[in-house]
Amino acid sequence: MSTLEHDPAPVGEPAEEKAPSRLAPIGRFVVSLLRMPTGLFGVLVMLGFVVLALSAPLFIHPSDLSVTQADGPLLAGPRSGYPLGTDPAGRSVLLLVIWGSRTSLAIGVMATLLTMVLGAGIGLMAGHYQGRVGRLLMHVTDWFIALPSLPLAIALAAVLGQGATSITIAIGVTSWTGTARLVRAQTLAVEARPFIERARALGATDTQLITRQVLPNVMPLILVSSTLTVASAILSEATLTFLGLGDPTSVSWGSLLNNAFMQGAVTAGAWWYLIPPGIAILVIVLGFTLVGRAVEHVLNARVQPR
Amino acid sequence: MSVGVPLEAPTVSGPEEGPERSDFPVYLARKVGAAVVSFVMLLVVGFIIFSLMPSDPVSALTRGRPTSDAQMNQLRHDLGLDQPLWERFLTFVGHTLTGNLGYSYEYHQPVSTLIADRLWPTLLLMGSSTLISIWLGMWLGIRAGWHPGSLLDRSASAVSLALWSVPTFWLGLILLVVFGSGSVGGIPAIFPAGGMQTHGTAGGLAPSHVLDVAWHLVLPCVTLVAVIFAQYVTIMRSSIIDERGNPYLLTARAKGLRDEVVRRRHAVPNALLPSVTVIFLQIGGMIGGAITVEVVYSWPGLGYLTFTALRIPDLQLLEGTFIVFSAAVIVCNLIADLLYRALDPRVRRQ
Amino acid sequence: MTAPFAGLRRRRRVAALAVAAVTAATISAGLLAGPSASAASSGDSTLTVQADTQMTTFNPFLSYYDGELNVIGAIYPALTMLDDQGQPEPYLADSWSTSSDKLTWTFKIHPGLKWSDGQPLTAEDAAWTFNLIMHNATAATSNGSLVSNFKSVTAPDATTLVITTKQPQANMLYLSVPVSGIPIVPEHVWKDHVTGLKNYRNMDFPVVGYGPFTLTGFKTNQYAELTADKSFFLGAPKYDKVVTNYYANSDAAAAALTSGELDQIGGLTPAQFNKMSSESGVMTYQTQSSGWTAIEINPGAQTRSGKPLGTGSPILKDIKVRQAIALGIDRPELVKKVLDGNGIEGAGYLPPGYPQFFWKPSASEALDYDPARAKQLLDDAGYKMGPNGVRVAPDGKPLEFRLGIHSDDATDAAIAPYLKEWMSAIGIKLTVNAMSFDQLNNDLSKGDWDILMDGWSTGPDPTYLLSIQTCGTLPEDNGQNGNTDAFFCNKEYDRLFAKQQTEFDAQQRAATIAQMQSILYAGNADLILFYKNGLDALRTDQVTGFLQGAKQSDGFYPLQHGFASWWKAAPVAGAATASQKASEQSSSAFKWIGLGVVVVLLIGGGVVLMRRRTAAERE
């Protein structure tokens, strides 16, 4: 992995380890990322999604989301004023889908944070503490991978009670293993390098080693992993909410689809209610995945030019 | 990993064992031992999760029915709900090991009977989807990997990625509404709107019944295949790419064999070997997809059973399906480990 | 490519194509032959309906689901049955009389009847059934409370049944009715199952019983099959068989109705209902409701001895706040938006499906939608508007309440946003919590709730539904043994409840019950939002006589009883079997199209395979 960010060497380190200016590599990284068509597309999608989600309150008024004030025809197809038709309460589907991006973004980000903290934490410790602790953590990780994620998420959500929090926890608990394994492998690789030995010889504590030496080198990997995790977290949130484990009163893509399914939209042929939330999920997940892959590609290219 | 399907090819844990290569019985014992430990931990965690639920199933069961207090207490006693926690755990372990997974008060049947009833539909769905995905994945992946960077390769990757990014249940809903409802744009309902068979048809192996089930299987299978075939494409593709670089293939070409034959007769068999074990590893990831597909199509399998168990929720049934799913994955991983070891001569030889 | 191999190649290719063609022919033949073969083999006329719910057991002592109860009602007799006005009329009991103190009932059982296995059906069976429920805790699971007032049940002879009660019981004739009451089971069969009663699912086919139908088949999670008993003493059913199919999702059921495989379907969503209305040969109809959807407001949860219980907001103890909440809800709007107009706005405690009890408040009592009045009421009561749009009680606590809804209920989820917005308009903040059925009931019984979604339905005798609002159903001090619906407790209500139980005159009883409903309405612990109509569809080109009763003035049909519908329905002469066959053919045509694609692919694949194999020969 490239040394994208590297702590300034402690006093006494040889000159070759001195870090260059931090900003230049980032700039180069971004440029090479944007040069890839998939990377460009992905970044645009990501930015567009975040901007849309955050700015939604500016152009969507509470009355558009209000059921009591909705005056559109009930579950009607696209027409003037309602480019994507209406839902069973008479609200515009287009506005609902845009508003739904907020919940999806929120849960996606929160779940990813949880996954990263759990996964990176466990991975770092497993890789750093080589002895019994490390092996134990590795076994726990391997065992967790064996648990099928959806049944586990269902069990957790059923126990914790339905809602956004339990979905976030369920996603976090079922997704951390991938990150943990990656981080562990990378930790092992990093710790094999000479500068770690030197730091240890100089009396650095475990905490210092992990936070100052290992973590910065593992960060790029965590970065890549987190974009891919956001993608899968959004997918998982949609699935869990569709199965009825989410908060049925909040507007999210999953709840729109759940609503559609439960209200007989299939028989009614209400394709305008069924297709847009799925397309939204598809585009967003695709965007994040492409960015993650592009970042990975760029980082790899810098280390091993092909 | 998403609760849908993981995209990256998973790694088998075999080679991680390190340089010491022992003989097969020792390897077997170690792997089986690890599987048993996993299973025990599974039981513990499963019990803990489900005991945490703050609920009184009896009042849920009898709500709306004119039942008296004494009768409700009796029901509580019958369900073993008045025992202390540790006693319930021991009973639970003992029962699970003897195949008694509890009693579903929603269905008035033992959980194991319910699971046994629903096992076949899930196996049918997952089995047919896996077979078709493997075939499709092989066909596409091998060709894509043989000519990396070609149009086929790039479009295969693009399609795979797009299909992975789509929620499984949504794909199912769309297919259902377009082909199963007859309500969209004049397209008639070519396929059924759910379920596993038309009511009233003869059962068993009568040809009309088999065809009826096959007809109902088409949409769920297509949905599941669409989402999981991408993994097999990836696996086959990377295996073939790895194989391509091998010198023995040069020899084959020097013999005058056509490209296609070189690929088919020499590269593919060697590339396939590690892929076989991966198939078993993928089953764990496929369970999530199978559950959502079953829910959308009301396919009466284990996944749909899990979903209906959420209603009250039916604790014992949820616990039972959770254990069965997880145990199945543990078994599949074990088989994958053993297969890897048994099949790959390169690994064994060391 | 040498000459000697050329012939071989061609032969292989021809062979491959021949195999493929034969496969395709077989598949097509199977497809086209299959469905019509099964239809032709049964010359019986079959009524195919949708099961209301799944069916898991047919043990009448344990049964819970409507789907099961409908079947049980058709295969076991009951003492009385209800006519289409909901009034009791003779069934197994030809006549009855009461003693002068009203404590003894004597029923004359119809003589000469036999169970389906030939054994005589006598008053002994009835006595045995009632006694089992009275004395066996497991047997009392489904209907235990219906016999709670019974003192003894005896059969002095084969055609006489004597029931003595502890108190006079006015609703005696409603206790043993098909579907919603206690069915009579054959003693000679069931006495062997008493010890294992809990696990006995009553699936030994054909099930020994008596009624218009016999249960002859059941496939788990699919259907139950009933065969008509043409010697049924009250009139033979017109159909030879009834098949009740369970569809896990209503879209599949709707598709089956459209294709003609189903004759009748119920429980449609408004969207599906509208779609079905435009199908040819299908009649959609709405039936009056046997239940209601409401919100219950915690009026001060307490135990039987008056000890406060739970974490309910004390502000809601103030009747004025509850009245304001009632005034702030636009019930007609809920019917219009949530039910798409397919319902009646709520008011009285007993649903419109029972017109003899249906009550509406007078103009002065009514709390119709009037947010201005609600705000005024709250202002006058001292709940001033706070800084962030939420009112504040005189003691400083804000008017913020939890609204608990069922997480798996689409209607609850649809209603919640409306309530939230209407309450916010009058200065009350609602926090919506979606919970599992179990958890909601748990919180309810412990008093840890402010406002909850609530829904009940009732059989033709409202005693049980009325009882759950009495002080007697409050829990004991230890929190156990409560069966209350909303912790409502009113002495006058209790007095009237006891009174109506002993009123044998139907009019008097109705009047007393009307007074009770008035008290409940004023109490505002249960705010009835609406009565959801049953949304059903019927293939009138295949079935007649299924709908019982006439269309009411509000355009809805009276409450339907599965038992009567199955018994009295008749196939449309000639059309039924024909259209069934026709739809089978057309659906098999689609099967052919669908599978034809698959077959073509297989053939294509097969040819390719063969080609590759022959190509290898070429090397």
Side-chain angles (χ1 to χ4, degrees):
Chain A
M1 282 288 163
S2 79
T3 52
L4 195 59
E5 282 173 26
H6 184 63
D7 248 7
V11 175
E13 291 290 299
E16 84 220 37
E17 297 270 319
K18 194 164 150 86
S21 140
R22 285 201 206 188
L23 293 180
I26 297 180
R28 280 202 296 273
F29 165 76
V30 171
V31 166
S32 22
L33 181 69
L34 291 176
R35 275 226 202 96
M36 296 178 58
T38 52
L40 182 61
F41 173 73
V43 168
L44 283 178
V45 163
M46 244 176 74
L47 285 179
F49 169 56
V50 172
V51 164
L52 199 60
L54 293 178
S55 68
L58 296 176
F59 58 89
I60 296 184
H61 309 290
S63 61
D64 295 320
L65 302 169
S66 153
V67 286
T68 54
Q69 294 172 57
D71 51 7
L74 308 185
L75 203 63
R79 60 201 56 216
S80 76
Y82 301 100
L84 286 178
T86 59
D87 75 337
R91 300 176 288 185
S92 163
V93 171
L94 177 64
L95 297 179
L96 284 174
V97 170
I98 296 177
W99 192 258
S101 64
R102 295 166 62 80
T103 314
S104 303
L105 178 63
I107 295 186
V109 166
M110 292 304 298
T112 305
L113 272 174
L114 183 60
T115 307
M116 285 302 128
V117 165
L118 260 182
I122 293 183
L124 277 171
M125 286 202 295
H128 183 78
Y129 297 105
Q130 301 271 4
R132 240 185 263 150
V133 174
R135 275 209 304 273
L136 178 67
L137 283 175
M138 196 183 77
H139 281 309
V140 169
T141 311
D142 283 342
W143 173 74
F144 236 89
I145 294 178
L147 289 181
S149 22
L150 189 56
L152 179 60
I154 289 178
L156 276 175
V159 169
L160 298 170
Q162 276 95 326
T165 333
S166 55
I167 285 192
T168 312
I169 296 178
I171 297 176
V173 168
T174 50
S175 320
W176 63 268
T177 53
T179 312
R181 290 186 93 172
L182 281 173
V183 169
R184 176 178 170 271
Q186 180 68 352
T187 308
L188 286 176
V190 166
E191 296 215 344
R193 290 195 211 152
F195 73 89
I196 293 286
E197 245 188 80
R198 266 178 247 147
R200 230 192 275 261
L202 286 173
T205 65
D206 279 327
T207 329
Q208 281 177 327
L209 271 177
I210 292 182
T211 51
R212 294 247 198 94
Q213 311 296 344
V214 179
L215 194 57
N217 284 295
V218 169
M219 272 319 269
L221 183 63
I222 295 184
L223 195 69
V224 171
S225 187
S226 64
T227 40
L228 294 173
T229 309
V230 171
S232 80
I234 292 179
L235 269 179
S236 307
E237 182 268 326
T239 306
L240 290 173
T241 311
F242 172 74
L243 290 176
L245 296 169
D247 181 6
T249 56
S250 76
V251 175
S252 77
W253 292 330
S255 74
L256 286 175
L257 290 168
N258 171 287
N259 210 28
F261 188 52
M262 296 298 175
Q263 302 262 26
V266 170
T267 302
W271 55 267
W272 58 90
Y273 196 30
L274 286 168
I275 293 188
I279 301 278
I281 297 174
L282 166 63
V283 170
I284 300 308
V285 169
L286 205 55
F288 273 91
T289 310
L290 288 176
V291 167
R293 290 224 181 140
V295 168
E296 191 179 22
H297 188 91
V298 167
L299 291 177
N300 277 340
R302 292 164 64 78
V303 174
Q304 302 158 25
R306 290 207 178 156
Chain B
M1 288 182 193
S2 92
V3 297
V5 179
L7 185 61
E8 300 82 27
T11 56
V12 188
S13 55
E16 277 187 31
E17 289 312 302
E20 6 103 23
R21 186 61 59 196
S22 32
D23 25 30
F24 194 65
V26 178
Y27 182 77
L28 173 72
R30 219 187 12 211
K31 285 296 171 183
V32 170
V36 168
V37 168
S38 295
F39 184 69
V40 170
M41 284 190 68
L42 167 65
L43 285 183
V44 170
V45 170
F47 180 78
I48 291 177
I49 291 181
F50 288 100
S51 317
L52 286 178
M53 304 206 55
S55 56
D56 181 16
V58 169
S59 55
L61 256 186
T62 55
R63 182 143 163 97
R65 304 302 302 157
T67 321
S68 75
D69 303 328
Q71 290 146 11
M72 283 166 69
N73 282 334
Q74 179 66 37
L75 262 177
R76 261 184 217 109
H77 179 76
D78 287 341
L79 291 173
L81 292 171
D82 48 3
Q83 287 176 320
L85 207 64
W86 63 269
E87 223 180 280
R88 281 167 58 193
F89 177 65
L90 286 177
T91 319
F92 167 69
V93 170
H95 281 169
T96 309
L97 292 175
T98 52
N100 173 359
L101 290 166
Y103 191 80
S104 159
Y105 27 83
E106 191 185 340
Y107 285 91
H108 295 117
Q109 285 179 74
V111 171
S112 32
T113 313
L114 277 173
I115 290 180
D117 278 341
R118 309 298 179 96
L119 191 58
W120 164 241
T122 300
L123 285 178
L124 179 61
L125 177 63
M126 284 178 68
S128 53
S129 309
T130 308
L131 285 176
I132 297 179
S133 305
I134 292 174
W135 178 80
L136 194 59
M138 258 178 61
W139 196 87
L140 264 182
I142 290 172
R143 274 169 191 68
W146 198 244
H147 306 287
S150 66
L151 182 61
L152 176 68
D153 182 28
R154 282 202 307 250
S155 32
S157 302
V159 168
S160 308
L161 185 58
L163 284 175
W164 179 82
S165 306
V166 148
T168 317
F169 71 89
W170 180 73
L171 192 59
L173 277 177
I174 299 300
L175 286 175
L176 186 60
V177 84
V178 170
F179 296 109
S181 73
S183 312
V184 176
I187 302 176
I190 305 177
F191 292 106
M196 186 170 160
Q197 52 201 322
T198 313
H199 291 300
T201 52
L205 289 169
S208 60
H209 175 73
V210 169
L211 284 169
D212 189 44
V213 172
W215 183 51
H216 282 79
L217 184 57
V218 171
L219 284 183
C221 195
V222 167
T223 311
L224 201 49
V225 165
V227 177
I228 64 179
F229 90 98
Q231 301 172 80
Y232 295 101
V233 170
T234 318
I235 294 163
M236 302 296 178
R237 182 178 173 276
S238 43
S239 302
I240 280 284
I241 288 181
D242 285 341
E243 279 302 311
R244 263 178 92 234
N246 275 325
Y248 75 89
L249 288 178
L250 221 78
T251 320
R253 265 186 246 273
K255 276 204 304 188
L257 295 176
R258 287 186 312 143
D259 193 47
E260 197 194 311
V261 177
V262 171
R263 184 193 80 215
R264 199 166 22 94
R265 283 253 195 92
H266 298 282
V268 169
N270 286 315
L272 272 190
L273 218 43
S275 313
V276 169
T277 64
V278 172
I279 289 169
F280 280 93
L281 285 176
Q282 295 292 31
I283 290 184
M286 211 168 78
I287 286 179
I291 292 181
T292 50
V293 166
E294 285 188 18
V295 168
V296 169
Y297 291 98
S298 308
W299 185 260
L302 285 181
Y304 193 73
L305 190 63
T306 311
F307 175 66
T308 55
L310 278 174
R311 262 198 65 244
I312 296 186
D314 190 339
L315 269 186
Q316 306 243 296
L317 184 54
L318 260 183
E319 210 170 13
T321 52
F322 174 69
I323 288 177
V324 166
F325 275 129
S326 308
V329 174
I330 291 177
V331 167
C332 287
N333 284 352
L334 180 61
I335 295 179
D337 280 339
L338 296 180
L339 264 182
Y340 185 91
R341 176 62 194 264
L343 280 183
D344 194 338
R346 294 173 288 182
V347 171
R348 249 187 301 148
R349 211 182 305 131
Q350 280 171 319
Chain C
M1 287 187 356
T2 55
F5 290 115
L8 187 64
R9 243 184 11 253
R10 230 174 284 127
R11 247 180 279 151
R12 276 183 185 258
R13 208 176 298 174
V14 167
L17 283 172
V19 166
V22 167
T23 319
T26 322
I27 291 177
S28 320
L31 271 170
L32 292 171
S36 31
S38 62
S41 64
S42 61
D44 304 332
S45 56
T46 307
L47 174 67
T48 319
V49 295
Q50 183 201 26
D52 286 344
T53 64
Q54 63 192 316
M55 298 168 279
T56 65
T57 174
F58 296 108
N59 183 331
F61 302 104
L62 299 175
S63 272
Y64 177 65
Y65 296 116
D66 282 342
E68 301 162 350
L69 298 180
N70 279 326
V71 169
I72 290 171
I75 63 175
Y76 289 115
L79 287 179
T80 56
M81 68 165 114
L82 302 171
D83 64 18
D84 52 20
Q85 314 296 324
Q87 298 302 318
E89 58 178 16
Y91 184 173
L92 199 58
D94 283 337
S95 62
W96 46 81
S97 58
T98 48
S99 61
S100 49
D101 62 357
K102 305 283 198 214
L103 292 175
T104 307
W105 288 76
T106 309
F107 293 88
K108 279 280 164 230
I109 306 295
H110 192 89
L113 294 176
K114 290 195 171 36
W115 294 102
S116 56
D117 62 351
Q119 296 294 316
L121 203 187
T122 67
E124 303 270 343
D125 295 299
W128 188 85
T129 308
F130 284 115
N131 276 305
L132 186 68
I133 299 179
M134 283 158 68
H135 301 121
N136 182 313
T138 311
T141 307
S142 295
N143 293 311
S145 72
L146 294 182
V147 298
S148 52
N149 190 32
F150 283 14
K151 197 156 105 185
S152 77
V153 182
T154 52
D157 60 62
T159 56
T160 311
L161 181 72
V162 178
I163 302 180
T164 59
T165 59
K166 301 172 199 158
Q167 302 284 328
Q169 185 160 2
N171 66 355
M172 173 66 71
L173 298 172
Y174 290 91
L175 298 182
S176 177
V177 292
V179 182
S180 50
I182 298 175
I184 309 295
V185 300
E187 175 185 358
H188 66 279
V189 171
W190 282 82
K191 63 174 194 263
D192 298 327
H193 296 290
V194 173
T195 34
L197 195 62
K198 193 180 79 168
N199 297 323
Y200 183 53
R201 292 168 69 209
N202 196 21
M203 292 194 186
D204 304 321
F205 304 111
V207 170
V208 176
Y210 184 77
F213 296 95
T214 315
L215 181 60
T216 47
F218 174 68
K219 222 160 174 204
T220 312
N221 232 50
Q222 284 186 50
Y223 64 84
E225 185 190 68
L226 297 97
T227 309
D229 177 2
K230 298 292 191 177
S231 64
F232 185 55
F233 80 107
L234 289 172
K238 311 284 192 310
Y239 272 96
D240 300 315
K241 279 196 188 340
V242 170
V243 171
T244 160
N245 283 327
Y246 173 62
Y247 288 88
N249 92 354
S250 53
D251 292 319
L257 186 85
T258 312
S259 70
E261 289 163 32
L262 261 190
D263 289 314
Q264 189 262 353
I265 180 179
L268 293 164
T269 66
Q272 292 166 333
F273 188 73
N274 289 336
K275 175 77 192 354
M276 287 289 122
S277 305
S278 57
E279 293 283 328
S280 66
V282 173
M283 169 181 148
T284 51
Y285 59 97
Q286 302 187 39
T287 57
Q288 286 174 329
S289 177
S290 66
W292 40 255
T293 307
I295 50 169
E296 46 190 6
I297 310 179
N298 192 335
Q302 56 182 5
T303 66
R304 255 173 244 186
S305 60
K307 201 175 77 163
L309 191 65
T311 60
S313 169
I315 300 175
L316 290 172
K317 286 199 213 168
D318 185 351
I319 183 84
K320 297 216 173 65
V321 175
R322 304 204 297 275
Q323 283 172 337
I325 293 177
L327 289 166
I329 297 178
D330 188 351
R331 295 177 231 207
E333 180 77 355
L334 274 180
V335 171
K336 186 174 118 197
K337 297 290 282 291
V338 174
L339 299 181
D340 206 12
N342 304 324
I344 300 178
E345 61 177 282
Y349 189 66
L350 295 181
Y354 305 107
Q356 66 271 42
F357 297 121
F358 186 50
W359 174 89
K360 281 199 175 133
S362 64
S364 52
E365 279 175 293
L367 291 170
D368 292 333
Y369 181 55
D370 193 342
R373 189 171 149 207
K375 289 190 228 176
Q376 189 67 46
L377 188 59
L378 288 170
D379 281 330
D380 293 343
Y383 300 97
K384 299 291 181 223
M385 187 63 82
N388 52 356
V390 179
R391 290 178 184 268
V392 180
D395 65 358
K397 293 232 174 59
L399 265 62
E400 288 178 5
F401 309 122
R402 302 161 288 182
L403 170 64
I405 70 173
H406 298 95
S407 55
D408 61 344
D409 193 314
T411 315
D412 278 12
I415 294 173
Y418 289 94
L419 294 178
K420 197 163 162 186
E421 291 174 22
W422 283 325
M423 288 302 104
S424 136
I426 62 172
I428 294 178
K429 180 162 170 219
L430 284 185
T431 314
V432 179
N433 295 329
M435 325 181 220
S436 71
F437 188 54
D438 218 16
Q439 202 186 335
L440 196 142
N441 287 346
N442 213 40
D443 285 352
L444 170 63
S445 60
K446 293 199 287 207
D448 290 331
W449 57 283
D450 298 323
I451 304 179
L452 293 175
M453 294 293 308
D454 192 21
W456 281 90
S457 62
T458 173
D461 177 65
T463 307
Y464 183 73
L465 189 59
L466 292 169
S467 74
I468 55 178
Q469 304 292 348
T470 58
C471 302
T473 52
L474 291 175
E476 288 166 14
D477 277 350
N478 63 0
Q480 296 271 17
N481 294 333
N483 198 23
T484 182
D485 176 53
F487 287 93
F488 182 76
C489 180
N490 178 299
K491 289 285 182 287
E492 178 66 6
Y493 180 86
D494 280 19
R495 188 187 72 79
L496 291 171
F497 177 72
K499 178 157 175 271
Q500 61 83 28
Q501 282 194 295
T502 64
E503 279 176 325
F504 283 67
D505 179 278
Q507 302 253 20
Q508 264 191 317
R509 188 169 175 230
T512 311
I513 290 179
Q515 281 182 283
M516 292 167 71
Q517 295 188 66
S518 179
I519 296 175
L520 284 176
Y521 187 79
N524 272 312
D526 257 304
L527 253 155
I528 313 293
L529 296 175
F530 52 64
Y531 318 99
K532 192 156 83 163
N533 286 349
L535 299 178
D536 301 352
L538 190 60
R539 284 217 76 102
T540 43
D541 57 350
Q542 288 171 203
V543 184
T544 72
F546 190 91
L547 259 186
Q548 307 295 306
K551 211 179 207 184
Q552 308 287 290
S553 52
D554 51 11
F556 309 139
Y557 281 86
L559 191 59
Q560 300 290 306
H561 304 285
F563 166 74
S565 292
W566 297 354
W567 176 27
K568 303 202 171 136
V572 167
T577 336
S579 66
Q580 281 273 35
K581 273 212 190 118
S583 56
E584 297 273 43
Q585 290 285 31
S586 67
S587 62
S588 71
F590 284 132
K591 285 188 206 182
W592 192 69
I593 294 173
L595 273 170
V597 172
V598 176
V599 164
V600 164
L601 283 176
L602 281 175
I603 297 177
V607 168
V608 168
L609 262 176
M610 289 298 147
R611 276 200 59 205
R612 283 163 80 209
R613 218 158 277 170
T614 57
E617 306 298 314
R618 285 184 237 140
E619 296 304 320

